[in-house]
Every structure is written in structure tokens, then in C-alpha cells.
């Protein structure tokens, strides 16, 4: 395997807090050396007497002058639609989109067809994931067939490689099932993730009940749909010591509930999507189905509360909820089109533009939220830069600005309201397991 030497970049590592200009030598999928300067002669490769340069077959040198070097991003909430819905996305194209966005590790959700409720399906997605250039993990289902009635064999799924459990896409209504699942995942020391929307109070999901629903003349999703479910699950988790992940939080009240639970010492975590910290229901009015998602975009006060939650780490993870759909599906009338948008290729730029650029946080904090923290919650060997650690890193031009164009999208899908937006920050190279997975 060819070695890789990255020189002259500015390295940040939120896990250790050690930042600075450093060179990185990569070999055999690991970071072999991390130092202020690494000479070619110290790379353990042959140097040509004629040119004074290493053989191209043994070492590639990358000049990262002016670039930020950070741990590869970790997304614990993606939908790759494989198996069952590969006209929208598959594991190969999803991994390509992830690498382009700077993600070296992703966790697939389990609402595929068949669902990831069996060892056979888990083996299928993980085996296919190993054929890609990034690390593809998967959650197992909480309940068989996503029906909310009977727990899956969580022990078997964990042994087969699951890194967590969720019925994402479908809220768990049966409280007894929820408590059983919490107790089991606590025993396994694995996170359990919840899609917090009460369907009994929703009439036409994907659009906020308020200005947007009034504009479209539909019922929409009230904020209480999320608030009540988060409140319920925090209460159910008391005394169980399960690691709870509240997915794609969208309301200011939900953020406060998580904040209070953390203050009480509970192991509660939360995710925010880039679209929920970047947009409000005004985007749904402007873009229609391209800005329809569950939970929906809400009000400016909610957007600001989500940002505040990210700043104080009440919300400790940014996750894309990458949800590809075909153009034909999104072209349907609003109430019949599916919810969800793609997000892997815009997530980092939206963070740099709307969080760092707006003065809410440093780039170090952003990387912590997009890499170090999610890796820790899901017990992944990722999210840091250190000698003998995984060679999963990204090179980013934080000053570059680029208009997000449909023609440049690596995903099979293009369902996003961000096409045509000028975003700051560009991934120049994604390295995973010591190999270049993407290069601009």
C-alpha cells in the first residue's frame, strides 16, 4: 500500500484539543507519524539518487498549505435506501456522496425493505458497505418489520455488527415496547435512537402547523407532536441508564427538555440537522416538496434555539438525515410527495456558512459536533487525529465559496432546497482507511 504524506496543513483535533501546523504520514490505514515537520527521508521509502524524490509507487505527497485538516466527519443518521429502494439511492452512491461531503463514517438507518431486523439483512448492508471507500455502519431495528409490536433479536443483531437500534421513520407508540428496548440497549451498552413525532396529532406531515400549513391549506404537524414524545421518552428512560438519541430535533421546547434531562444526569443525546439550523417554514413555502421533511422546518425561534443547543452541546451531534427520493416522487402534489431531503454533500458547508461564518461557534466546535461527538455516542473508532489512530481525515478549504449546482451532486437524488445557494467551505480531499476516497 502506497504511503501518503500530507504537509503544511493546519491540523485540528477536538478530542485532544491539540491544534497547529503539522505534517501527517499515513501508512497501512493508520496515522504513522504526526509532527510539525516530516522529511521525505523519514518516511521509510526509497529516495531516488537522481531526483532526490521518493518513488511515486511508494509515496504520494500532498501539499495542504492553506487547508484545514480535520478528523473525517461522522454521520449517525443516513438513509441509503438499500435494500429495497435503490432507485432513490444505494450503498455505493450514498458512500460516494458521503465521501464528497467529507464523511468517512456513516450509520445507515434500518427502514429499508426488507428492514434491518434480521442478521441476514444486516450482513447484506455491512458486506456491501465494505466494498465502498468509506466506513458504512448500520443500526438494527428496534421492532420486527418496523411494526412497533415485537422486539427484534437485539443480541443477534449486535453480534452481527449493529452499532445502535432505531425504528427511525416510524415513532414507537407502545410504551412497554419502548421500556423493554431501553433496558435491552442499556445491557448491550448501545445507543437507541427515537423519531419523536406523535402521529395522532398530525394531519399531513412534513409541513409545520402554522404559517406554512395555512399557506398550503393543510393541517400540518404541530410542535406538540415532537414535544410530547420527547417528554414521554425522557420519563420512560428514568432509572434505566440507557443511552438515548433524540433524532432530528426541531422545536425550542424539545431542546429545553433535553437540556433539563442532561442537567439531571441522564444519558440523553440529541441530533440537529443542517436544514433545521439553517431554514424555517418560510423555505417550505418557497420550495414546496423540496423543503418537506419529518419533522418539518419550524419557526425562527426554533431555529435559534437549535443553534443555542448546539453551542452549549445540549444538542451534541449534527446529523444529516440524508433522505434521497426520486424527482418523480418529489414532483407529486405536496400531501402525496414523500418527506426528506439529501444532505451529505452540503452539511459541512452549511455548518461553516451558518454556524461558524455567522459567529455562533468556532470551526473546532463544528468539527466536534460533526465528528468527535457522534463517534463517541456510537462507540466508533473515529473522530480524532492521533498517531496509531485511523487515517480517516479531511482537507478543507474553509475560505472557498461555491454555488451548489445540481450537476455536481454525487448522490442519485437531488431533492434539496439548497441548489443555487452559495456556500462557504469546500472539501478538497477525503481520506478513509489511508486511501483517498474523494478528491476535488
Amino acid at each position: 500500500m502506497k504511503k501518503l504524506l500530507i504537509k503544511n496543513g493546519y491540523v485540528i483535533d477536538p478530542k485532544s484539543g491539540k491544534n497547529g501546523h503539522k505534517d501527517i504520514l499515513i501508512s497501512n490505514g493508520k496515522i504513522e507519524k504526526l509532527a510539525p515537520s516530516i522529511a521525505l527521508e523519514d518516511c521509510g521509502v526509497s529516495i531516488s539518487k537522481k531526483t532526490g524524490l521518493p518513488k511515486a509507487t511508494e509515496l504520494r505527497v500532498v501539499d495542504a498549505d492553506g487547508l484545514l485538516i480535520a478528523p473525517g466527519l461522522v454521520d449517525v443518521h443516513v438513509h441509503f435506501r438499500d435494500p429495497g429502494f435503490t432507485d432513490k439511492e444505494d450503498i455505493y452512491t450514498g458512500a460516494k456522496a458521503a465521501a464528497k461531503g467529507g464523511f468517512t463514517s456513516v450509520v445507515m438507518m434500518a427502514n429499508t425493505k426488507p428492514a434491518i431486523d434480521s442478521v441476514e439483512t444486516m450482513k447484506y448492508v455491512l458486506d456491501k458497505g465494505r466494498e465502498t471507500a468509506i466506513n458504512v455502519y448500520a443500526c438494527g431495528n428496534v421492532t420486527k418489520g418496523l411494526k412497533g409490536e415485537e422486539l427484534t433479536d437485539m443480541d443477534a443483531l449486535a453480534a452481527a455488527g449493529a452499532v445502535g437500534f432505531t425504528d427511525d421513520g416510524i415513532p414507537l407508540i407502545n410504551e412497554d415496547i419502548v421500556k423493554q428496548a431501553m433496558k435491552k440497549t442499556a445491557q448491550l451498552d448501545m445507543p437507541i435512537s427515537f423519531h419523536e413525532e406523535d402521529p395522532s396529532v398530525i394531519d399531513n406531515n412534513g409541513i409545520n402547523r402554522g404559517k406554512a400549513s395555512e399557506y398550503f391549506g393543510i393541517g400540518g404537524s404541530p410542535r406538540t407532536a415532537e414535544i410530547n414524545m420527547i417528554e414521554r421518552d425522557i420519563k420512560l428512560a428514568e432509572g434505566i441508564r440507557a443511552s438515548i438519541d433524540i433524532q432530528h430535533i426541531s422545536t425550542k421546547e424539545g431542546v429545553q427538555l433535553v437540556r433539563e434531562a442532561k442537567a439531571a444526569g441522564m444519558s440523553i443525546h440529541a441530533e440537529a440537522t443542517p436544514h433545521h439550523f439553517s431554514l424555517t417554514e418560510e423555505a417550505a413555502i418557497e420550495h414546496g416538496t423540496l423543503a418537506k421533511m419529518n419533522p418539518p422546518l419550524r419557526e425562527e425561534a426554533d431555529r435559534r434555539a437549535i443553534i443555542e443547543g448546539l453551542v452549549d452541546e445540549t444538542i451534541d451531534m449534527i446529523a444529516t438525515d440524508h433522505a434521497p427520493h426520486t424527482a418523480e416522487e418529489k414532483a407529486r402534489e405536496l400531501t402525496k410527495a414523500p418527506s426528506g431531503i439529501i444532505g451529505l454533500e452540503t452539511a459541512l458547508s452549511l455548518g461553516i456558512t451558518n454556524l461558524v461564518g455567522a459567529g455562533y461557534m468556532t470551526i473546532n466546535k463544528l468539527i466536534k459536533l460533526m465528528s468527535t461527538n457522534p463517534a463517541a455516542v456510537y462507540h466508533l473508532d473515529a473522530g480524532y487525529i492521533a498517531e496509531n489512530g485511523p487515517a480517516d481525515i479531511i482537507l478543507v478549504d474553509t475560505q472557498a465559496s461555491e454555488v451548489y449546482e445540481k450537476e455536481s451532486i454525487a448522490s442519485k437524488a437531488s431533492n434539496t432546497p439548497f441548489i443555487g445557494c452559495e456556500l462557504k467551505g469546500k472539501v478538497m480531499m477525503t481520506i478513509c482507511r489511508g486511501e483517498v476516497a474523494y478528491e476535488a
Side-chain angles (χ1 to χ4, degrees), residues 211-274:
K211 185 176 181 180
S213 64
E214 290 174 6
Y215 176 85
F216 290 112
I218 61 174
S221 173
R223 59 199 313 106
T224 53
E226 175 176 280
I227 298 164
N228 294 346
M229 292 288 281
I230 293 176
E231 189 171 36
R232 182 204 72 168
D233 288 340
I234 288 173
K235 287 182 179 178
L236 290 176
E238 289 178 358
I240 295 179
R241 303 183 68 82
S243 178
I244 309 297
D245 176 10
I246 305 297
Q247 298 176 307
H248 40 47
I249 201 162
S250 71
T251 61
K252 61 184 181 181
E253 295 90 349
V255 175
Q256 185 58 28
L257 285 167
V258 172
R259 183 177 284 116
E260 291 169 1
K262 285 194 170 192
M266 298 182 70
S267 183
I268 304 291
H269 307 282
E271 307 168 5
T273 71

Side-chain angles (χ1 to χ4, degrees), residues 59-108:
L59 179 72
R60 178 181 176 184
V61 181
V62 176
D63 186 358
D65 185 35
L67 301 182
L68 179 79
I69 301 176
L73 305 182
V74 178
D75 191 346
V76 298
H77 192 149
V78 303
H79 298 271
F80 281 177
R81 310 300 193 194
D82 191 354
F85 307 101
T86 52
D87 55 331
K88 304 170 187 270
E89 190 84 281
D90 59 50
I91 291 171
Y92 300 136
T93 57
K96 287 180 180 177
K100 186 176 180 183
F103 291 91
T104 54
S105 296
V106 298
V107 178
M108 282 181 55

Side-chain angles (χ1 to χ4, degrees), residues 406-426:
K406 185 175 181 179
E407 293 74 21
S408 69
I409 296 174
S411 169
K412 275 188 183 181
S414 58
N415 52 305
T416 170
F418 294 111
I419 290 174
C421 293
E422 185 171 353
L423 301 175
K424 192 173 184 180
K426 182 177 181 180

Side-chain angles (χ1 to χ4, degrees), residues 13-16 71-76 105 107 191 243-245 262 267-272 309-319 361 364-384:
D13 176 39
K15 186 173 182 177
S16 68
L73 305 182
V74 178
D75 191 346
V76 298
S105 296
V107 178
S243 178
I244 309 297
D245 176 10
K262 285 194 170 192
S267 183
I268 304 291
H269 307 282
E271 307 168 5
L310 288 166
V311 170
D312 68 13
E313 291 188 56
T314 293
I315 305 170
D316 35 17
M317 298 177 283
I318 292 172
M361 64 180 62
N364 295 55
K365 171 60 77 70
L366 179 64
I367 296 298
K368 185 180 183 184
L369 293 165
M370 296 187 72
S371 182
T372 311
N373 283 359
V377 172
Y378 278 76
H379 307 305
L380 306 179
D381 186 22
Y384 65 100

Side-chain angles (χ1 to χ4, degrees), residues 202-214 216 218-222 281 284-285 288-289 291-298 334 339:
I202 298 172
D203 180 17
N204 304 128
N205 205 356
I207 299 295
N208 184 50
R209 183 172 294 177
K211 185 176 181 180
S213 64
E214 290 174 6
F216 290 112
I218 61 174
S221 173
E281 62 182 337
I285 293 172
T289 63
K292 177 185 178 183
M293 69 275 297
N294 302 339
L297 299 170
R298 300 201 188 271
L334 185 71
S339 291

Side-chain angles (χ1 to χ4, degrees), residues 5 151 171 278 332:
L5 176 62
L151 291 184
S278 296
R332 296 172 188 163

Side-chain angles (χ1 to χ4, degrees), residues 128 136 140 225 229 231 236 330 344:
K128 200 166 180 180
V136 177
M229 292 288 281
E231 189 171 36
L236 290 176
K330 280 294 191 177
L344 285 164

